Amino acid sequence: MLGIVALLAGGISVAPLFCETPTAPATLNRRSVPAMLFRAPAAQKATWVKPFLLDRFAVTNADYARFVSMHTEWRRGNVKSLFVDEGYLRHWPSATGSAREESDSPVTNVSWFAARAYCRAQSGRLPTLLEWERAAAEPMIVHSHQGERPQPQSIESLVLAWYEKTSPAALPRIGSTYENRLGLYDLHGLIWEWVEDFNALPISSDSRGGIDRALFCAGGAAAGINAADYAAYMRYAFRSSLQARFSVQNLGFRCASDAGGRP
Amino acid sequence: MKHISPPTRRPHHMRSTHCQSGWMWRQSWLLSRPSWIPSLTPSWILSLILCTAAACGPRHTEPLPGDSLYQLTTAFTNDDGRSAALSDLRGQRVALAMIYTECVYVCPRIVADMKRLQRALAEQGGPDVRFVAVSFDPQRDTPAALRRYRKRRGLDQHWSLLTAPEPDVRELAAALGLAYTRLENGEFSHTIAITILDENGVILHRQEGNTGDTKAMLEYLRHSP
Protein backbone atom coordinates (compact mmCIF):
# COMPACT_ATOMS: atom_id res chain seq x y z
CA MET A 1 0.00 0.00 0.00
CA LEU A 2 2.82 2.32 0.97
CA GLY A 3 4.57 1.29 -2.22
CA ILE A 4 1.60 2.38 -4.31
CA VAL A 5 1.49 5.75 -2.54
CA ALA A 6 5.21 6.22 -3.12
CA LEU A 7 4.76 5.34 -6.76
CA LEU A 8 1.94 7.83 -7.19
CA ALA A 9 3.90 10.53 -5.39
CA GLY A 10 6.84 9.84 -7.63
CA GLY A 11 4.58 9.90 -10.65
CA ILE A 12 3.06 13.23 -9.70
CA SER A 13 6.44 14.86 -9.19
CA VAL A 14 7.65 13.55 -12.53
CA ALA A 15 4.53 14.62 -14.46
CA PRO A 16 5.50 18.29 -14.94
CA LEU A 17 8.67 17.11 -16.69
CA PHE A 18 6.56 15.18 -19.16
CA CYS A 19 4.28 18.16 -19.66
CA GLU A 20 7.23 20.25 -20.86
CA THR A 21 7.66 19.48 -24.50
CA PRO A 22 10.35 21.74 -25.89
CA THR A 23 9.74 20.16 -29.25
CA ALA A 24 6.09 21.27 -29.36
CA PRO A 25 6.66 24.81 -30.65
CA ALA A 26 8.89 23.53 -33.45
CA THR A 27 6.42 20.92 -34.65
CA LEU A 28 3.58 23.44 -34.52
CA ASN A 29 5.50 25.51 -37.05
CA ARG A 30 5.42 22.79 -39.66
CA ARG A 31 3.07 22.93 -42.60
CA SER A 32 1.44 20.11 -44.45
CA VAL A 33 2.75 19.42 -47.94
CA PRO A 34 0.18 17.36 -49.81
CA ALA A 35 1.03 14.35 -51.93
CA MET A 36 1.86 15.05 -55.54
CA LEU A 37 3.07 13.44 -58.71
CA PHE A 38 6.18 15.54 -59.21
CA ARG A 39 8.99 15.60 -61.71
CA ALA A 40 12.20 16.82 -60.08
CA PRO A 41 14.56 18.86 -62.28
CA ALA A 42 17.04 16.01 -62.68
CA ALA A 43 14.50 13.21 -63.08
CA GLN A 44 13.40 11.60 -66.30
CA LYS A 45 9.86 11.12 -65.09
CA ALA A 46 7.46 12.16 -62.36
CA THR A 47 7.49 10.37 -59.00
CA TRP A 48 4.81 10.15 -56.37
CA VAL A 49 5.87 12.26 -53.39
CA LYS A 50 3.99 11.20 -50.27
CA PRO A 51 2.49 13.87 -48.01
CA PHE A 52 4.81 15.20 -45.33
CA LEU A 53 5.28 18.15 -42.99
CA LEU A 54 7.89 20.84 -43.55
CA ASP A 55 9.02 23.76 -41.37
CA ARG A 56 7.58 27.08 -42.49
CA PHE A 57 10.92 28.76 -41.90
CA ALA A 58 14.56 27.77 -41.94
CA VAL A 59 16.08 27.03 -38.54
CA THR A 60 17.39 30.28 -37.01
CA ASN A 61 20.49 31.10 -35.00
CA ALA A 62 18.29 31.46 -31.92
CA ASP A 63 16.72 28.03 -32.51
CA TYR A 64 20.13 26.45 -32.94
CA ALA A 65 21.53 28.18 -29.86
CA ARG A 66 18.73 26.61 -27.78
CA PHE A 67 19.59 23.22 -29.25
CA VAL A 68 23.28 23.60 -28.44
CA SER A 69 22.52 24.61 -24.85
CA MET A 70 20.55 21.36 -24.40
CA HIS A 71 22.91 19.16 -26.42
CA THR A 72 26.37 20.31 -25.42
CA GLU A 73 28.03 17.66 -27.56
CA TRP A 74 27.18 19.99 -30.47
CA ARG A 75 28.84 23.03 -28.94
CA ARG A 76 31.62 24.55 -31.00
CA GLY A 77 34.78 23.23 -29.39
CA ASN A 78 33.10 20.08 -28.02
CA VAL A 79 31.86 18.55 -31.21
CA LYS A 80 33.91 15.76 -32.86
CA SER A 81 35.76 16.50 -36.08
CA LEU A 82 34.06 13.55 -37.80
CA PHE A 83 30.84 15.58 -37.76
CA VAL A 84 31.95 19.16 -38.47
CA ASP A 85 34.81 21.07 -40.07
CA GLU A 86 36.81 24.06 -38.79
CA GLY A 87 34.17 26.51 -39.98
CA TYR A 88 31.39 25.16 -37.77
CA LEU A 89 29.41 28.15 -36.41
CA ARG A 90 32.29 30.46 -37.28
CA HIS A 91 29.91 33.42 -37.44
CA TRP A 92 28.98 33.09 -33.75
CA PRO A 93 31.04 35.42 -31.54
CA SER A 94 30.85 32.80 -28.76
CA ALA A 95 30.22 29.07 -28.66
CA THR A 96 26.81 29.68 -27.09
CA GLY A 97 25.06 31.90 -29.63
CA SER A 98 25.08 34.38 -32.46
CA ALA A 99 25.13 38.17 -32.36
CA ARG A 100 21.70 39.48 -31.31
CA GLU A 101 20.96 41.04 -34.68
CA GLU A 102 21.38 37.61 -36.29
CA SER A 103 19.06 35.75 -33.90
CA ASP A 104 16.26 35.53 -36.43
CA SER A 105 18.47 34.88 -39.41
CA PRO A 106 18.81 31.32 -40.63
CA VAL A 107 21.63 29.43 -38.94
CA THR A 108 24.40 28.56 -41.37
CA ASN A 109 27.92 27.14 -41.07
CA VAL A 110 26.37 23.91 -39.82
CA SER A 111 27.20 20.48 -41.17
CA TRP A 112 24.77 17.86 -42.44
CA PHE A 113 25.41 15.80 -39.31
CA ALA A 114 24.57 18.81 -37.13
CA ALA A 115 21.41 19.58 -39.08
CA ARG A 116 20.25 15.98 -38.75
CA ALA A 117 20.90 15.95 -35.02
CA TYR A 118 18.92 19.16 -34.63
CA CYS A 119 15.96 17.81 -36.58
CA ARG A 120 16.00 14.55 -34.65
CA ALA A 121 15.84 16.55 -31.43
CA GLN A 122 12.72 18.26 -32.81
CA SER A 123 10.99 14.94 -33.54
CA GLY A 124 11.83 15.37 -37.18
CA ARG A 125 14.32 14.73 -39.93
CA LEU A 126 15.77 16.57 -42.90
CA PRO A 127 13.53 16.63 -45.97
CA THR A 128 14.65 14.42 -48.84
CA LEU A 129 15.86 16.08 -52.04
CA LEU A 130 12.61 15.16 -53.78
CA GLU A 131 10.50 16.51 -50.92
CA TRP A 132 12.42 19.77 -50.82
CA GLU A 133 12.24 20.29 -54.60
CA ARG A 134 8.52 19.48 -54.59
CA ALA A 135 7.84 22.01 -51.82
CA ALA A 136 10.09 24.63 -53.42
CA ALA A 137 8.41 24.30 -56.79
CA GLU A 138 5.18 25.79 -55.39
CA PRO A 139 4.49 29.26 -56.71
CA MET A 140 4.85 32.46 -54.77
CA ILE A 141 1.88 34.12 -53.10
CA VAL A 142 1.86 37.79 -53.83
CA HIS A 143 0.65 39.94 -50.95
CA SER A 144 -0.76 43.34 -51.76
CA HIS A 145 0.10 45.98 -49.19
CA GLN A 146 -1.97 49.09 -48.47
CA GLY A 147 -2.15 51.25 -51.53
CA GLU A 148 0.44 49.25 -53.45
CA ARG A 149 -0.12 47.19 -56.52
CA PRO A 150 1.11 43.59 -55.97
CA GLN A 151 4.48 43.00 -57.62
CA PRO A 152 4.46 39.62 -59.30
CA GLN A 153 7.85 37.97 -59.60
CA SER A 154 8.76 34.59 -60.92
CA ILE A 155 10.76 32.39 -58.58
CA GLU A 156 13.36 31.96 -61.25
CA SER A 157 14.03 35.70 -61.46
CA LEU A 158 14.16 35.87 -57.66
CA VAL A 159 16.75 33.10 -57.59
CA LEU A 160 18.84 34.56 -60.38
CA ALA A 161 18.83 37.93 -58.64
CA TRP A 162 20.00 36.17 -55.48
CA TYR A 163 22.85 34.46 -57.36
CA GLU A 164 23.98 37.84 -58.65
CA LYS A 165 24.28 39.37 -55.20
CA THR A 166 27.34 38.80 -53.10
CA SER A 167 26.55 37.13 -49.81
CA PRO A 168 25.86 39.76 -47.16
CA ALA A 169 27.93 39.66 -43.98
CA ALA A 170 24.77 39.18 -41.92
CA LEU A 171 21.99 37.18 -43.52
CA PRO A 172 18.51 38.69 -43.68
CA ARG A 173 15.99 37.35 -41.19
CA ILE A 174 13.64 34.47 -41.97
CA GLY A 175 10.47 35.50 -43.75
CA SER A 176 12.20 38.30 -45.62
CA THR A 177 11.99 36.88 -49.12
CA TYR A 178 8.66 35.33 -50.05
CA GLU A 179 5.86 33.03 -48.99
CA ASN A 180 4.71 30.23 -51.25
CA ARG A 181 1.30 28.70 -51.81
CA LEU A 182 1.85 26.15 -49.01
CA GLY A 183 2.66 28.87 -46.44
CA LEU A 184 6.38 28.05 -46.55
CA TYR A 185 8.86 30.93 -46.54
CA ASP A 186 12.21 31.57 -48.20
CA LEU A 187 12.68 28.25 -49.95
CA HIS A 188 14.52 30.26 -52.58
CA GLY A 189 16.50 33.45 -52.31
CA LEU A 190 17.77 33.32 -48.73
CA ILE A 191 20.08 30.34 -48.18
CA TRP A 192 20.93 26.96 -49.64
CA GLU A 193 19.36 24.17 -47.59
CA TRP A 194 20.63 20.73 -46.58
CA VAL A 195 18.58 17.71 -47.59
CA GLU A 196 18.76 14.17 -46.20
CA ASP A 197 20.09 12.62 -49.41
CA PHE A 198 22.32 15.46 -50.60
CA ASN A 199 24.77 12.77 -51.74
CA ALA A 200 22.20 10.99 -53.87
CA LEU A 201 23.37 12.28 -57.21
CA PRO A 202 26.64 10.89 -58.46
CA ILE A 203 27.50 13.86 -60.63
CA SER A 204 31.17 14.69 -60.92
CA SER A 205 31.77 18.19 -59.55
CA ASP A 206 33.61 18.90 -62.78
CA SER A 207 30.74 19.15 -65.22
CA ARG A 208 33.04 19.45 -68.22
CA GLY A 209 34.09 15.83 -67.96
CA GLY A 210 30.56 14.55 -67.52
CA ILE A 211 29.95 11.59 -65.28
CA ASP A 212 33.09 9.58 -64.66
CA ARG A 213 31.63 6.21 -65.42
CA ALA A 214 34.48 4.29 -63.85
CA LEU A 215 33.55 5.78 -60.51
CA PHE A 216 29.91 4.81 -60.46
CA CYS A 217 27.94 1.62 -60.59
CA ALA A 218 25.01 1.89 -63.05
CA GLY A 219 26.59 5.23 -63.94
CA GLY A 220 24.64 5.78 -67.11
CA ALA A 221 21.37 6.20 -65.25
CA ALA A 222 22.05 9.66 -63.80
CA ALA A 223 20.07 12.01 -66.02
CA GLY A 224 20.93 15.56 -66.97
CA ILE A 225 19.09 18.69 -65.91
CA ASN A 226 17.26 20.82 -68.41
CA ALA A 227 19.87 23.35 -69.48
CA ALA A 228 17.26 26.13 -69.42
CA ASP A 229 16.65 25.63 -65.69
CA TYR A 230 19.85 27.31 -64.61
CA ALA A 231 18.67 27.80 -61.04
CA ALA A 232 18.04 24.07 -60.63
CA TYR A 233 21.36 23.24 -62.25
CA MET A 234 23.15 25.47 -59.73
CA ARG A 235 21.32 23.82 -56.83
CA TYR A 236 22.21 20.31 -57.97
CA ALA A 237 25.80 21.26 -58.73
CA PHE A 238 26.11 22.92 -55.33
CA ARG A 239 24.72 19.87 -53.53
CA SER A 240 27.05 17.52 -55.37
CA SER A 241 30.04 19.60 -54.25
CA LEU A 242 29.20 19.14 -50.59
CA GLN A 243 30.66 16.78 -48.05
CA ALA A 244 28.64 15.94 -44.95
CA ARG A 245 30.88 17.78 -42.50
CA PHE A 246 31.12 21.03 -44.49
CA SER A 247 30.15 24.47 -43.20
CA VAL A 248 29.12 27.03 -45.76
CA GLN A 249 28.28 30.63 -44.92
CA ASN A 250 24.96 30.53 -46.74
CA LEU A 251 23.99 26.88 -46.26
CA GLY A 252 21.41 26.15 -43.57
CA PHE A 253 18.40 23.86 -43.25
CA ARG A 254 14.84 23.31 -42.12
CA CYS A 255 13.22 20.18 -40.72
CA ALA A 256 10.51 17.86 -41.96
CA SER A 257 8.53 14.96 -40.60
CA ASP A 258 6.26 12.28 -41.95
CA ALA A 259 2.57 13.16 -42.17
CA GLY A 260 1.13 12.24 -38.78
CA GLY A 261 4.03 13.82 -36.94
CA ARG A 262 6.43 10.90 -36.75
CA PRO A 263 9.85 11.52 -38.34
CA MET B 1 12.48 -29.44 -24.12
CA LYS B 2 14.89 -28.12 -26.70
CA HIS B 3 18.51 -28.79 -25.99
CA ILE B 4 20.30 -25.51 -25.49
CA SER B 5 23.94 -25.78 -26.32
CA PRO B 6 26.05 -22.96 -24.99
CA PRO B 7 27.99 -21.02 -27.56
CA THR B 8 31.57 -22.09 -27.04
CA ARG B 9 33.09 -20.03 -29.81
CA ARG B 10 32.53 -16.44 -30.80
CA PRO B 11 30.76 -15.94 -34.09
CA HIS B 12 33.43 -16.11 -36.75
CA HIS B 13 33.03 -12.59 -37.97
CA MET B 14 33.30 -11.01 -34.51
CA ARG B 15 36.34 -12.92 -33.32
CA SER B 16 39.26 -10.68 -32.57
CA THR B 17 42.76 -11.09 -31.29
CA HIS B 18 42.04 -9.13 -28.14
CA CYS B 19 41.15 -11.21 -25.16
CA GLN B 20 39.51 -8.32 -23.34
CA SER B 21 36.69 -8.15 -25.88
CA GLY B 22 36.56 -11.95 -25.80
CA TRP B 23 36.12 -11.84 -22.05
CA MET B 24 33.26 -9.36 -22.28
CA TRP B 25 31.49 -11.54 -24.83
CA ARG B 26 31.83 -14.61 -22.64
CA GLN B 27 30.57 -12.72 -19.60
CA SER B 28 27.39 -11.60 -21.33
CA TRP B 29 26.73 -15.17 -22.42
CA LEU B 30 27.49 -16.43 -18.94
CA LEU B 31 24.84 -14.21 -17.41
CA SER B 32 22.20 -15.86 -19.56
CA ARG B 33 23.40 -19.48 -19.52
CA PRO B 34 21.17 -22.27 -18.22
CA SER B 35 22.05 -23.38 -14.74
CA TRP B 36 23.00 -26.92 -15.74
CA ILE B 37 26.36 -25.87 -17.21
CA PRO B 38 28.60 -25.34 -14.20
CA SER B 39 31.53 -27.09 -15.82
CA LEU B 40 32.47 -24.12 -18.02
CA THR B 41 32.78 -21.76 -15.08
CA PRO B 42 36.36 -22.64 -14.08
CA SER B 43 37.66 -21.95 -17.61
CA TRP B 44 35.85 -18.63 -17.65
CA ILE B 45 37.40 -17.58 -14.36
CA LEU B 46 40.79 -18.70 -15.61
CA SER B 47 40.57 -16.63 -18.77
CA LEU B 48 39.43 -13.62 -16.72
CA ILE B 49 42.43 -13.97 -14.43
CA LEU B 50 44.79 -14.39 -17.35
CA CYS B 51 43.32 -11.40 -19.14
CA THR B 52 43.53 -9.03 -16.21
CA ALA B 53 47.01 -10.33 -15.31
CA ALA B 54 48.27 -9.73 -18.82
CA ALA B 55 46.46 -6.35 -18.85
CA CYS B 56 45.34 -7.02 -22.40
CA GLY B 57 43.21 -4.58 -24.40
CA PRO B 58 44.06 -1.27 -22.66
CA ARG B 59 43.81 0.32 -26.13
CA HIS B 60 40.04 -0.01 -26.13
CA THR B 61 39.61 2.11 -23.04
CA GLU B 62 41.23 5.15 -24.63
CA PRO B 63 38.78 7.62 -26.11
CA LEU B 64 38.35 7.47 -29.88
CA PRO B 65 40.10 10.13 -31.97
CA GLY B 66 37.76 12.97 -32.97
CA ASP B 67 37.74 11.90 -36.61
CA SER B 68 37.16 8.20 -35.95
CA LEU B 69 34.36 6.63 -37.98
CA TYR B 70 33.60 4.49 -34.93
CA GLN B 71 31.85 7.43 -33.34
CA LEU B 72 28.87 6.47 -35.46
CA THR B 73 26.75 4.55 -32.97
CA THR B 74 24.56 2.78 -35.52
CA ALA B 75 23.44 -0.71 -34.50
CA PHE B 76 24.17 -2.71 -37.64
CA THR B 77 22.96 -6.28 -38.11
CA ASN B 78 25.41 -8.87 -39.40
CA ASP B 79 24.67 -11.91 -41.52
CA ASP B 80 24.19 -13.97 -38.36
CA GLY B 81 21.30 -11.70 -37.49
CA ARG B 82 23.20 -10.29 -34.51
CA SER B 83 23.70 -6.66 -33.60
CA ALA B 84 27.12 -5.21 -34.41
CA ALA B 85 28.67 -1.77 -33.93
CA LEU B 86 31.50 -0.34 -36.02
CA SER B 87 33.49 0.15 -32.83
CA ASP B 88 33.62 -3.67 -32.50
CA LEU B 89 36.21 -3.49 -35.29
CA ARG B 90 38.61 -1.53 -33.12
CA GLY B 91 42.07 -3.01 -32.78
CA GLN B 92 43.06 -3.88 -36.34
CA ARG B 93 43.15 -2.18 -39.71
CA VAL B 94 40.02 -2.42 -41.77
CA ALA B 95 39.22 -2.41 -45.48
CA LEU B 96 35.62 -1.26 -45.83
CA ALA B 97 33.36 -1.02 -48.84
CA MET B 98 29.67 -0.35 -49.46
CA ILE B 99 27.99 -2.67 -51.93
CA TYR B 100 24.72 -4.49 -52.44
CA THR B 101 24.33 -8.19 -53.14
CA GLU B 102 22.11 -7.81 -56.23
CA CYS B 103 24.76 -5.67 -57.90
CA VAL B 104 26.19 -7.40 -60.94
CA TYR B 105 28.22 -4.60 -62.47
CA VAL B 106 31.09 -3.50 -60.30
CA CYS B 107 30.39 -4.65 -56.74
CA PRO B 108 31.76 -8.13 -57.53
CA ARG B 109 34.96 -6.42 -58.62
CA ILE B 110 35.15 -4.45 -55.38
CA VAL B 111 34.87 -7.69 -53.42
CA ALA B 112 37.44 -9.34 -55.71
CA ASP B 113 39.87 -6.48 -55.04
CA MET B 114 39.38 -6.93 -51.31
CA LYS B 115 39.96 -10.69 -51.58
CA ARG B 116 43.12 -9.94 -53.55
CA LEU B 117 44.25 -7.73 -50.66
CA GLN B 118 43.45 -10.54 -48.25
CA ARG B 119 45.49 -13.05 -50.25
CA ALA B 120 48.46 -10.70 -50.61
CA LEU B 121 48.50 -10.01 -46.88
CA ALA B 122 48.25 -13.71 -46.04
CA GLU B 123 51.12 -14.54 -48.41
CA GLN B 124 53.32 -11.87 -46.85
CA GLY B 125 52.42 -12.93 -43.30
CA GLY B 126 50.75 -9.56 -43.04
CA PRO B 127 48.80 -8.18 -40.08
CA ASP B 128 45.33 -9.40 -39.19
CA VAL B 129 42.96 -7.21 -41.19
CA ARG B 130 39.18 -7.10 -41.15
CA PHE B 131 37.18 -6.83 -44.38
CA VAL B 132 33.82 -5.15 -44.04
CA ALA B 133 31.03 -4.88 -46.59
CA VAL B 134 28.01 -2.74 -45.72
CA SER B 135 24.90 -2.92 -47.87
CA PHE B 136 23.24 0.06 -49.57
CA ASP B 137 20.07 -2.01 -49.82
CA PRO B 138 18.49 -2.88 -46.44
CA GLN B 139 15.26 -3.89 -48.17
CA ARG B 140 16.75 -6.79 -50.08
CA ASP B 141 19.98 -7.42 -48.16
CA THR B 142 18.51 -9.10 -45.12
CA PRO B 143 20.83 -11.15 -42.88
CA ALA B 144 19.75 -14.27 -44.81
CA ALA B 145 20.64 -12.65 -48.13
CA LEU B 146 24.02 -11.61 -46.74
CA ARG B 147 24.61 -15.16 -45.53
CA ARG B 148 23.93 -16.49 -49.02
CA TYR B 149 26.27 -13.86 -50.44
CA ARG B 150 29.03 -14.91 -48.04
CA LYS B 151 28.75 -18.52 -49.27
CA ARG B 152 28.54 -17.49 -52.91
CA ARG B 153 31.65 -15.30 -52.73
CA GLY B 154 33.58 -17.56 -50.38
CA LEU B 155 34.10 -14.93 -47.67
CA ASP B 156 35.80 -16.29 -44.57
CA GLN B 157 35.81 -15.30 -40.89
CA HIS B 158 37.81 -12.14 -41.57
CA TRP B 159 34.78 -10.67 -43.33
CA SER B 160 31.89 -8.80 -41.74
CA LEU B 161 28.72 -8.31 -43.78
CA LEU B 162 26.47 -5.63 -42.33
CA THR B 163 23.08 -4.09 -42.94
CA ALA B 164 21.22 -1.21 -41.27
CA PRO B 165 18.08 0.92 -41.87
CA GLU B 166 18.19 3.59 -44.58
CA PRO B 167 18.99 6.70 -42.51
CA ASP B 168 21.98 4.91 -40.97
CA VAL B 169 23.18 3.71 -44.37
CA ARG B 170 22.92 7.31 -45.61
CA GLU B 171 24.92 8.49 -42.60
CA LEU B 172 27.71 5.96 -43.11
CA ALA B 173 27.96 6.78 -46.82
CA ALA B 174 28.10 10.49 -45.99
CA ALA B 175 30.83 9.93 -43.40
CA LEU B 176 32.81 7.90 -45.97
CA GLY B 177 32.30 10.56 -48.64
CA LEU B 178 30.34 8.18 -50.87
CA ALA B 179 27.35 9.08 -53.03
CA TYR B 180 24.51 6.71 -53.87
CA THR B 181 20.97 6.72 -55.10
CA ARG B 182 18.34 4.04 -55.47
CA LEU B 183 17.05 3.80 -59.00
CA GLU B 184 13.52 2.90 -59.94
CA ASN B 185 14.46 -0.61 -61.05
CA GLY B 186 15.89 -1.32 -57.60
CA GLU B 187 19.49 -0.98 -58.75
CA PHE B 188 21.78 1.50 -57.05
CA SER B 189 23.98 4.09 -58.63
CA HIS B 190 26.87 4.51 -56.23
CA THR B 191 30.47 5.55 -55.78
CA ILE B 192 32.91 2.69 -56.19
CA ALA B 193 35.45 2.83 -53.40
CA ILE B 194 37.35 0.85 -50.78
CA THR B 195 38.24 2.76 -47.62
CA ILE B 196 41.14 1.83 -45.35
CA LEU B 197 40.71 2.55 -41.64
CA ASP B 198 43.32 2.42 -38.93
CA GLU B 199 43.02 0.57 -35.61
CA ASN B 200 40.89 3.38 -34.21
CA GLY B 201 38.58 3.80 -37.16
CA VAL B 202 40.28 6.86 -38.62
CA ILE B 203 40.17 6.98 -42.41
CA LEU B 204 43.68 6.53 -43.81
CA HIS B 205 42.98 6.17 -47.50
CA ARG B 206 40.13 5.92 -49.97
CA GLN B 207 40.67 4.08 -53.22
CA GLU B 208 38.06 5.19 -55.75
CA GLY B 209 37.22 3.56 -59.00
CA ASN B 210 37.73 0.03 -60.18
CA THR B 211 41.26 0.04 -61.50
CA GLY B 212 42.18 -3.13 -59.63
CA ASP B 213 45.31 -1.45 -58.31
CA THR B 214 45.81 -2.71 -54.76
CA LYS B 215 49.35 -1.45 -54.15
CA ALA B 216 48.46 1.73 -52.25
CA MET B 217 45.87 -0.07 -50.12
CA LEU B 218 48.37 -2.81 -49.23
CA GLU B 219 50.82 -0.17 -48.03
CA TYR B 220 48.24 1.35 -45.71
CA LEU B 221 47.14 -2.03 -44.41
CA ARG B 222 50.66 -3.32 -43.83
CA HIS B 223 52.04 -0.26 -42.10
CA SER B 224 52.42 -1.09 -38.42
CA PRO B 225 51.15 1.45 -35.86
Side-chain angles (χ1 to χ4, degrees):
Chain A
M1 179 62 192
L2 211 62
I4 294 167
V5 171
L7 212 72
L8 282 170
I12 289 163
S13 64
V14 158
L17 289 174
F18 283 101
C19 289
E20 280 171 36
T21 45
T23 58
T27 53
L28 282 175
N29 229 1
R30 263 176 221 156
R31 277 292 167 92
S32 205
V33 181
M36 184 181 171
L37 199 62
F38 174 72
R39 195 182 85 78
Q44 285 165 321
K45 45 194 266 248
T47 322
W48 188 248
V49 185
K50 291 195 287 207
F52 67 104
L53 302 170
L54 189 62
D55 285 352
R56 300 192 75 188
F57 303 100
V59 174
T60 63
N61 282 301
D63 294 334
Y64 200 78
R66 265 193 299 277
F67 164 72
V68 162
S69 70
M70 290 193 289
H71 298 85
T72 53
E73 69 274 20
W74 287 100
R75 239 176 99 116
R76 189 178 72 196
N78 271 356
V79 62
K80 306 299 177 199
S81 55
L82 179 73
F83 301 125
V84 300
D85 66 8
E86 306 72 34
Y88 179 63
L89 297 175
R90 69 165 83 88
H91 63 294
W92 281 14
S94 78
T96 49
S98 70
R100 187 160 308 161
E101 57 270 20
E102 293 194 88
S103 289
D104 293 326
S105 299
V107 68
T108 57
N109 293 316
V110 283
S111 69
W112 178 80
F113 293 109
R116 272 171 126 237
Y118 176 95
C119 290
R120 223 174 296 132
Q122 314 305 317
S123 310
R125 54 173 174 79
L126 284 174
T128 64
L129 200 153
L130 194 60
E131 285 173 339
W132 192 94
E133 289 287 333
R134 178 259 179 276
E138 290 284 333
M140 204 183 288
I141 298 180
V142 177
H143 296 289
S144 58
H145 300 282
Q146 279 286 67
E148 284 175 29
R149 201 168 294 167
Q151 302 288 323
Q153 187 184 16
S154 76
I155 289 179
E156 197 185 354
S157 61
L158 184 153
V159 173
L160 294 177
W162 178 56
Y163 289 160
E164 280 173 15
K165 286 189 282 197
T166 52
S167 262
L171 288 168
R173 51 171 303 161
I174 52 167
S176 59
T177 61
Y178 76 103
E179 181 185 6
N180 79 3
R181 193 164 59 183
L182 297 175
L184 308 170
Y185 285 81
D186 316 312
L187 283 162
H188 293 288
L190 187 52
I191 49 165
W192 305 102
E193 295 189 2
W194 281 114
V195 292
E196 168 71 6
D197 49 346
F198 75 96
N199 62 345
L201 295 173
I203 297 175
S204 160
S205 52
D206 179 359
S207 63
R208 292 165 297 170
I211 299 164
D212 184 347
R213 288 178 201 276
L215 287 179
F216 301 108
C217 207
I225 297 163
N226 178 11
D229 193 351
Y230 179 69
Y233 175 80
M234 285 296 291
R235 263 196 319 282
Y236 279 68
F238 177 69
R239 284 185 194 121
S240 71
S241 74
L242 295 170
Q243 293 286 321
R245 55 190 291 273
F246 278 8
S247 321
V248 185
Q249 188 262 343
N250 55 2
L251 170 65
F253 67 102
R254 68 183 69 206
C255 301
S257 54
D258 291 354
R262 287 174 303 110
Chain B
M1 184 171 146
K2 187 171 174 235
H3 172 75
I4 307 161
S5 50
T8 52
R9 304 177 73 195
R10 290 190 74 191
H12 51 76
H13 50 277
M14 296 306 285
R15 214 177 287 143
S16 84
T17 54
H18 287 273
C19 59
Q20 182 187 46
S21 46
W23 163 71
M24 286 175 73
W25 176 86
R26 284 218 191 100
Q27 166 151 64
S28 65
W29 170 78
L30 204 65
L31 289 170
S32 57
R33 87 193 193 291
S35 55
W36 49 263
I37 324 174
S39 54
L40 285 169
T41 315
S43 65
W44 171 75
I45 291 174
L46 193 66
S47 62
L48 168 60
I49 292 167
L50 283 172
C51 277
T52 50
C56 49
R59 281 185 261 172
H60 292 323
T61 57
E62 281 168 22
L64 287 165
D67 50 349
S68 166
L69 201 70
Y70 298 162
Q71 288 169 119
L72 296 177
T73 53
T74 305
F76 289 91
T77 308
N78 60 32
D79 60 319
D80 265 354
R82 289 208 185 87
S83 189
L86 287 178
S87 52
D88 296 337
L89 298 164
R90 209 173 167 184
Q92 64 260 300
R93 302 232 156 161
V94 169
L96 187 150
M98 293 188 75
I99 57 159
Y100 61 108
T101 64
E102 297 283 326
C103 169
V104 294
Y105 296 110
V106 273
C107 303
R109 285 160 68 183
I110 297 174
V111 172
D113 280 351
M114 288 166 80
K115 288 177 82 176
R116 209 187 347 264
L117 283 172
Q118 190 178 13
R119 264 197 307 279
L121 286 167
E123 277 165 22
Q124 291 150 23
D128 191 22
V129 165
R130 203 117 233 126
F131 297 90
V132 182
V134 183
S135 173
F136 285 116
D137 191 2
Q139 274 176 18
R140 289 185 298 187
D141 286 340
T142 58
L146 292 176
R147 243 192 327 275
R148 285 194 296 273
Y149 190 76
R150 180 188 284 280
K151 279 207 189 70
R152 216 157 58 227
R153 303 280 165 200
L155 307 175
D156 68 11
Q157 73 274 15
H158 292 92
W159 285 78
S160 298
L161 304 182
L162 305 175
T163 184
E166 220 304 299
D168 298 320
V169 174
R170 183 63 63 185
E171 188 179 51
L172 178 64
L176 289 168
L178 307 179
Y180 75 96
T181 190
R182 188 173 186 280
L183 305 173
E184 241 176 71
N185 60 5
E187 294 292 311
F188 284 79
S189 182
H190 64 94
T191 316
I192 299 161
I194 300 171
T195 308
I196 308 297
L197 308 174
D198 78 2
E199 292 79 359
N200 288 313
V202 175
I203 295 175
L204 291 176
H205 177 66
R206 179 167 65 236
Q207 182 97 357
E208 283 197 26
N210 233 331
T211 55
D213 179 9
T214 53
K215 218 178 347 173
M217 290 190 282
L218 269 173
E219 285 305 309
Y220 281 101
L221 287 171
R222 262 203 247 106
H223 174 77
S224 49

